[in-house]
Amino acid sequence: MAHQHVAIPRRGHRARRIFAGRGTPGYSGDGGPATSAQLYAPTSMVVDPAGNLFFADTGNHVIRKISVDGGSALQTRLNGPQGLAIDSVGALFISDTNNSSIRRVSPTGVIETITAKGQLNTPYAIALDAQGRFYVADSGNRAVRMLTPQVVPVQ
């Protein structure tokens, strides 16, 4: 297996290429080039099987998508989203931190809540395994939980 090298900028050096955002905080740019968008606290990122990039724009309380061709962003209104994961069929899982829930966005764009109310307290990170179980850093309860997704009605 060939080694892969990652260049990390030294202190005082800047990244060579901006993929999304223009460096000023705010919310704009949906439907336009990703490099023209304004972001506010981008955090977790994940790439789906088709090569689309999803990221939590936590300060704007949305998940944004940059398509493979660099096209428009997809937004889903949330409250302080942090962690992201993608399953093998391309469904996006989101830790909706300030709503204390986990959301699932199907490949067709349908959003569902997959944790019951009161089950989590400020979930941050999320990871999926090959069997479809997910692991949640349940920060408010000071625990890491293993859960099997169950769709519950969005309230």
Side-chain angles (χ1 to χ4, degrees):
M1 182 164 102
H3 291 1
Q4 295 181 359
H5 299 279
V6 177
I8 300 175
R10 293 184 196 175
R11 187 178 183 147
H13 290 78
R14 299 185 67 175
R16 292 190 173 98
R17 180 172 182 241
I18 294 176
F19 186 71
R22 58 182 189 209
T24 56
Y27 185 82
S28 70
D30 289 344
T35 54
S36 297
Q38 282 184 286
L39 311 176
Y40 197 95
T43 56
S44 186
M45 297 178 287
V46 67
V47 177
D48 73 6
N52 298 301
L53 173 71
F54 292 86
F55 64 94
D57 190 353
T58 303
N60 283 317
H61 307 288
V62 297
I63 300 300
R64 297 177 99 169
K65 173 186 174 185
I66 301 173
S67 64
V68 175
D69 61 7
S72 63
L74 166 81
Q75 56 179 306
T76 302
R77 289 268 168 213
L78 303 165
N79 191 2
Q82 295 285 333
L84 299 175
I86 296 270
D87 70 10
S88 62
V89 298
L92 173 67
F93 290 80
I94 305 163
S95 60
D96 190 2
T97 303
N98 295 335
N99 284 325
S100 292
S101 63
I102 303 298
R103 312 284 182 164
R104 178 185 180 273
V105 182
S106 73
T108 60
V110 176
I111 188 167
E112 304 168 305
T113 301
I114 61 168
T115 53
K117 187 174 179 120
Q119 189 174 5
L120 301 172
N121 184 1
T122 60
Y124 276 81
I126 184 170
L128 294 166
D129 69 14
Q131 288 74 42
R133 294 177 299 239
F134 61 97
Y135 302 85
V136 178
D138 190 4
S139 293
N141 287 320
R142 294 162 186 81
V144 174
R145 298 188 185 279
M146 182 182 74
L147 305 169
T148 303
Q150 296 178 317
V151 176
V152 296
V154 177
Q155 299 173 347

